[in-house]
mmCIF file of all heavy atoms in Angstrom:
data_model
loop_
_atom_site.group_PDB
_atom_site.id
_atom_site.type_symbol
_atom_site.label_atom_id
_atom_site.label_comp_id
_atom_site.label_asym_id
_atom_site.label_seq_id
_atom_site.Cartn_x
_atom_site.Cartn_y
_atom_site.Cartn_z
ATOM 1 N N GLY A 1 116.005 115.640 119.787
ATOM 2 C CA GLY A 1 114.861 114.733 119.737
ATOM 3 C C GLY A 1 114.117 114.823 118.408
ATOM 4 O O GLY A 1 113.836 113.811 117.764
ATOM 5 N N CYS A 2 113.808 116.062 117.995
ATOM 6 C CA CYS A 2 113.151 116.262 116.697
ATOM 7 C C CYS A 2 114.048 115.796 115.556
ATOM 8 O O CYS A 2 113.587 115.150 114.609
ATOM 9 C CB CYS A 2 112.790 117.731 116.512
ATOM 10 S SG CYS A 2 111.495 118.339 117.606
ATOM 11 N N GLY A 3 115.347 116.124 115.656
ATOM 12 C CA GLY A 3 116.287 115.730 114.614
ATOM 13 C C GLY A 3 116.400 114.231 114.465
ATOM 14 O O GLY A 3 116.483 113.704 113.347
ATOM 15 N N PHE A 4 116.381 113.512 115.589
ATOM 16 C CA PHE A 4 116.468 112.053 115.534
ATOM 17 C C PHE A 4 115.266 111.451 114.818
ATOM 18 O O PHE A 4 115.409 110.552 113.973
ATOM 19 C CB PHE A 4 116.566 111.483 116.955
ATOM 20 C CG PHE A 4 116.525 109.979 117.010
ATOM 21 C CD1 PHE A 4 117.639 109.232 116.670
ATOM 22 C CD2 PHE A 4 115.366 109.314 117.380
ATOM 23 C CE1 PHE A 4 117.605 107.842 116.705
ATOM 24 C CE2 PHE A 4 115.314 107.930 117.425
ATOM 25 C CZ PHE A 4 116.441 107.187 117.087
ATOM 26 N N ILE A 5 114.078 111.942 115.156
ATOM 27 C CA ILE A 5 112.860 111.429 114.504
ATOM 28 C C ILE A 5 112.895 111.717 113.007
ATOM 29 O O ILE A 5 112.568 110.852 112.182
ATOM 30 C CB ILE A 5 111.605 112.045 115.148
ATOM 31 C CG1 ILE A 5 111.482 111.608 116.602
ATOM 32 C CG2 ILE A 5 110.346 111.651 114.370
ATOM 33 C CD1 ILE A 5 110.407 112.343 117.385
ATOM 34 N N ILE A 6 113.312 112.938 112.646
ATOM 35 C CA ILE A 6 113.390 113.312 111.231
ATOM 36 C C ILE A 6 114.366 112.411 110.487
ATOM 37 O O ILE A 6 114.064 111.887 109.408
ATOM 38 C CB ILE A 6 113.801 114.786 111.085
ATOM 39 C CG1 ILE A 6 112.698 115.705 111.601
ATOM 40 C CG2 ILE A 6 114.104 115.124 109.621
ATOM 41 C CD1 ILE A 6 113.120 117.152 111.743
ATOM 42 N N LEU A 7 115.558 112.211 111.060
ATOM 43 C CA LEU A 7 116.568 111.373 110.403
ATOM 44 C C LEU A 7 116.113 109.927 110.288
ATOM 45 O O LEU A 7 116.353 109.272 109.268
ATOM 46 C CB LEU A 7 117.889 111.447 111.168
ATOM 47 C CG LEU A 7 118.736 112.696 110.942
ATOM 48 C CD1 LEU A 7 119.974 112.654 111.827
ATOM 49 C CD2 LEU A 7 119.147 112.827 109.479
ATOM 50 N N LEU A 8 115.475 109.417 111.319
ATOM 51 C CA LEU A 8 115.011 108.024 111.303
ATOM 52 C C LEU A 8 113.987 107.791 110.198
ATOM 53 O O LEU A 8 114.119 106.866 109.387
ATOM 54 C CB LEU A 8 114.410 107.665 112.665
ATOM 55 C CG LEU A 8 113.868 106.243 112.818
ATOM 56 C CD1 LEU A 8 115.002 105.227 112.703
ATOM 57 C CD2 LEU A 8 113.144 106.087 114.158
ATOM 58 N N LEU A 9 112.974 108.657 110.142
ATOM 59 C CA LEU A 9 111.918 108.483 109.149
ATOM 60 C C LEU A 9 112.401 108.819 107.741
ATOM 61 O O LEU A 9 112.128 108.092 106.779
ATOM 62 C CB LEU A 9 110.704 109.347 109.516
ATOM 63 C CG LEU A 9 110.022 109.009 110.847
ATOM 64 C CD1 LEU A 9 108.841 109.944 111.088
ATOM 65 C CD2 LEU A 9 109.540 107.562 110.855
ATOM 66 N N THR A 10 113.143 109.924 107.621
ATOM 67 C CA THR A 10 113.626 110.341 106.306
ATOM 68 C C THR A 10 114.656 109.360 105.760
ATOM 69 O O THR A 10 114.672 109.069 104.559
ATOM 70 C CB THR A 10 114.236 111.749 106.378
ATOM 71 O OG1 THR A 10 113.284 112.650 106.943
ATOM 72 C CG2 THR A 10 114.623 112.243 104.989
ATOM 73 N N GLY A 11 115.514 108.845 106.632
ATOM 74 C CA GLY A 11 116.500 107.854 106.206
ATOM 75 C C GLY A 11 115.835 106.607 105.642
ATOM 76 O O GLY A 11 116.273 106.055 104.622
ATOM 77 N N THR A 12 114.758 106.162 106.286
ATOM 78 C CA THR A 12 114.012 105.005 105.793
ATOM 79 C C THR A 12 113.393 105.291 104.430
ATOM 80 O O THR A 12 113.450 104.460 103.510
ATOM 81 C CB THR A 12 112.906 104.615 106.794
ATOM 82 O OG1 THR A 12 113.488 104.364 108.074
ATOM 83 C CG2 THR A 12 112.160 103.379 106.327
ATOM 84 N N LEU A 13 112.818 106.482 104.284
ATOM 85 C CA LEU A 13 112.201 106.865 103.012
ATOM 86 C C LEU A 13 113.238 106.957 101.902
ATOM 87 O O LEU A 13 113.008 106.492 100.778
ATOM 88 C CB LEU A 13 111.482 108.203 103.175
ATOM 89 C CG LEU A 13 110.208 108.194 104.028
ATOM 90 C CD1 LEU A 13 109.823 109.607 104.434
ATOM 91 C CD2 LEU A 13 109.071 107.521 103.285
ATOM 92 N N LEU A 14 114.398 107.550 102.194
ATOM 93 C CA LEU A 14 115.455 107.665 101.186
ATOM 94 C C LEU A 14 115.989 106.299 100.778
ATOM 95 O O LEU A 14 116.239 106.042 99.597
ATOM 96 C CB LEU A 14 116.595 108.527 101.719
ATOM 97 C CG LEU A 14 116.467 110.038 101.540
ATOM 98 C CD1 LEU A 14 117.587 110.758 102.273
ATOM 99 C CD2 LEU A 14 116.470 110.411 100.054
ATOM 100 N N TYR A 15 116.158 105.424 101.762
ATOM 101 C CA TYR A 15 116.682 104.092 101.468
ATOM 102 C C TYR A 15 115.750 103.321 100.526
ATOM 103 O O TYR A 15 116.193 102.727 99.538
ATOM 104 C CB TYR A 15 116.884 103.299 102.756
ATOM 105 C CG TYR A 15 117.287 101.860 102.504
ATOM 106 C CD1 TYR A 15 118.596 101.539 102.163
ATOM 107 C CD2 TYR A 15 116.351 100.831 102.583
ATOM 108 C CE1 TYR A 15 118.966 100.223 101.910
ATOM 109 C CE2 TYR A 15 116.706 99.518 102.339
ATOM 110 C CZ TYR A 15 118.017 99.225 101.999
ATOM 111 O OH TYR A 15 118.371 97.918 101.743
ATOM 112 N N THR A 16 114.452 103.350 100.832
ATOM 113 C CA THR A 16 113.513 102.605 99.989
ATOM 114 C C THR A 16 113.339 103.274 98.625
ATOM 115 O O THR A 16 113.025 102.600 97.648
ATOM 116 C CB THR A 16 112.150 102.479 100.678
ATOM 117 O OG1 THR A 16 111.701 103.768 101.103
ATOM 118 C CG2 THR A 16 112.228 101.564 101.864
ATOM 119 N N THR A 17 113.549 104.587 98.553
ATOM 120 C CA THR A 17 113.511 105.265 97.260
ATOM 121 C C THR A 17 114.655 104.776 96.378
ATOM 122 O O THR A 17 114.484 104.553 95.168
ATOM 123 C CB THR A 17 113.621 106.796 97.433
ATOM 124 O OG1 THR A 17 112.499 107.259 98.192
ATOM 125 C CG2 THR A 17 113.633 107.504 96.084
ATOM 126 N N ILE A 18 115.831 104.593 96.976
ATOM 127 C CA ILE A 18 116.998 104.128 96.222
ATOM 128 C C ILE A 18 116.925 102.631 95.954
ATOM 129 O O ILE A 18 117.161 102.171 94.825
ATOM 130 C CB ILE A 18 118.295 104.467 96.990
ATOM 131 C CG1 ILE A 18 118.454 105.988 97.117
ATOM 132 C CG2 ILE A 18 119.519 103.861 96.293
ATOM 133 C CD1 ILE A 18 119.547 106.418 98.073
ATOM 134 N N ALA A 19 116.584 101.853 96.991
ATOM 135 C CA ALA A 19 116.607 100.388 96.880
ATOM 136 C C ALA A 19 115.334 99.825 96.269
ATOM 137 O O ALA A 19 115.324 98.701 95.756
ATOM 138 C CB ALA A 19 116.849 99.771 98.257
ATOM 139 N N GLY A 20 114.250 100.607 96.346
ATOM 140 C CA GLY A 20 112.968 100.125 95.851
ATOM 141 C C GLY A 20 112.199 99.401 96.950
ATOM 142 O O GLY A 20 112.727 99.087 98.020
ATOM 143 N N GLY A 21 110.937 99.136 96.688
ATOM 144 C CA GLY A 21 110.107 98.433 97.652
ATOM 145 C C GLY A 21 109.256 99.382 98.472
ATOM 146 O O GLY A 21 109.275 100.601 98.288
ATOM 147 N N HIS A 22 108.514 98.809 99.427
ATOM 148 C CA HIS A 22 107.607 99.587 100.264
ATOM 149 C C HIS A 22 108.344 100.031 101.520
ATOM 150 O O HIS A 22 109.009 99.229 102.179
ATOM 151 C CB HIS A 22 106.383 98.751 100.633
ATOM 152 C CG HIS A 22 105.400 99.460 101.500
ATOM 153 N ND1 HIS A 22 104.716 100.585 101.084
ATOM 154 C CD2 HIS A 22 104.994 99.215 102.771
ATOM 155 C CE1 HIS A 22 103.920 100.992 102.048
ATOM 156 N NE2 HIS A 22 104.064 100.179 103.087
ATOM 157 N N ASP A 23 108.229 101.309 101.871
ATOM 158 C CA ASP A 23 108.989 101.828 103.001
ATOM 159 C C ASP A 23 108.296 101.628 104.346
ATOM 160 O O ASP A 23 108.944 101.548 105.374
ATOM 161 C CB ASP A 23 109.275 103.327 102.808
ATOM 162 C CG ASP A 23 108.016 104.125 102.536
ATOM 163 O OD1 ASP A 23 107.188 104.262 103.439
ATOM 164 O OD2 ASP A 23 107.876 104.634 101.409
ATOM 165 N N GLY A 24 106.974 101.531 104.364
ATOM 166 C CA GLY A 24 106.254 101.357 105.611
ATOM 167 C C GLY A 24 106.053 102.641 106.388
ATOM 168 O O GLY A 24 105.229 102.709 107.302
ATOM 169 N N VAL A 25 106.808 103.690 106.044
ATOM 170 C CA VAL A 25 106.721 104.961 106.756
ATOM 171 C C VAL A 25 105.623 105.836 106.170
ATOM 172 O O VAL A 25 104.856 106.465 106.908
ATOM 173 C CB VAL A 25 108.078 105.706 106.704
ATOM 174 C CG1 VAL A 25 107.943 107.108 107.294
ATOM 175 C CG2 VAL A 25 109.138 104.910 107.442
ATOM 176 N N SER A 26 105.544 105.880 104.837
ATOM 177 C CA SER A 26 104.578 106.764 104.183
ATOM 178 C C SER A 26 103.131 106.377 104.481
ATOM 179 O O SER A 26 102.221 107.194 104.316
ATOM 180 C CB SER A 26 104.814 106.780 102.668
ATOM 181 O OG SER A 26 104.816 105.477 102.145
#
C-alpha cells in the first residue's frame, strides 16, 4: 500500500521533471 502511493506520486514527479510542465503533485 505504501509502495503503491510512493510509486504513483514519485512516478508523476519524475515524468514531469523529464517532460516538463506542472506536475500537480508538488
Side-chain angles (χ1 to χ4, degrees):
C2 292
F4 174 77
I5 296 170
I6 292 169
L7 282 177
L8 180 65
L9 298 180
T10 306
T12 303
L13 290 164
L14 274 173
Y15 174 78
T16 52
T17 298
I18 296 169
H22 179 64
D23 53 69
V25 173
S26 54

